[in-house]
Amino acid sequence: QVQLVESGGGLVQPGGSLRLSCTASGMILRINVMAWYRQVPGKERELVAGISNGGTTNYADSVKGRFTISRDNAKNTVYLEMNSLKPEDTALYYCNAQSIATVRVNYRELWGQGTLVTVSS
């Protein structure tokens, strides 16, 4: 069974930085896309950034130039480096993995449980 476990959320002042991590556990052979989404109460979950197995990235316009997504395929881990944080970045951040191949079964999509990021003075 594959699980996604996030870490790194917390409280930070405006202008500060945080680094989120998400590791996929299990007998994983390959993960096609890994991504970060975020959601605030009353709004739909939105894509923050995504990265393919080959390293191609995409970002929401609202975070371009401030956030950087990266991954370590050997560790099945994706990172989100968040700089120049704003109060509007406050949200529950979810890790997402797509097209996961394991030694026993393949998964179309998996989600982590979320880690809270609060940007406030």
Side-chain angles (χ1 to χ4, degrees):
Q1 183 177 357
V2 175
Q3 289 186 321
L4 302 182
V5 179
E6 303 116 329
S7 63
L11 173 65
V12 64
Q13 292 187 342
S17 298
L18 279 177
R19 188 192 198 208
L20 306 183
S21 299
C22 171
T23 297
S25 63
M27 301 178 73
I28 297 168
L29 299 175
R30 187 178 187 274
I31 302 174
N32 187 14
V33 174
M34 300 189 81
W36 289 95
Y37 286 73
R38 67 186 180 187
Q39 188 171 25
V40 297
K43 292 190 175 181
E44 291 189 357
R45 192 172 298 187
E46 65 172 0
L47 175 67
V48 177
I51 183 167
S52 72
N53 182 269
T56 301
T57 59
N58 65 293
Y59 295 92
D61 287 343
S62 59
V63 307
K64 282 181 180 177
R66 300 189 298 123
F67 291 11
T68 302
I69 190 169
S70 60
R71 65 188 284 177
D72 184 333
N73 290 334
K75 296 181 179 180
N76 296 315
T77 298
V78 62
Y79 306 96
L80 187 67
E81 187 75 36
M82 304 185 293
N83 298 314
S84 302
L85 283 161
K86 306 175 182 180
E88 51 263 43
D89 294 317
T90 296
L92 195 58
Y93 283 71
Y94 294 92
C95 178
N96 171 271
Q98 301 168 27
S99 299
I100 306 111
T102 76
V103 296
R104 293 186 177 180
V105 65
N106 296 334
Y107 297 85
R108 186 180 69 85
E109 186 174 46
L110 290 173
W111 292 91
Q113 297 214 350
T115 184
L116 182 62
V117 172
T118 303
V119 184
S120 175
S121 54

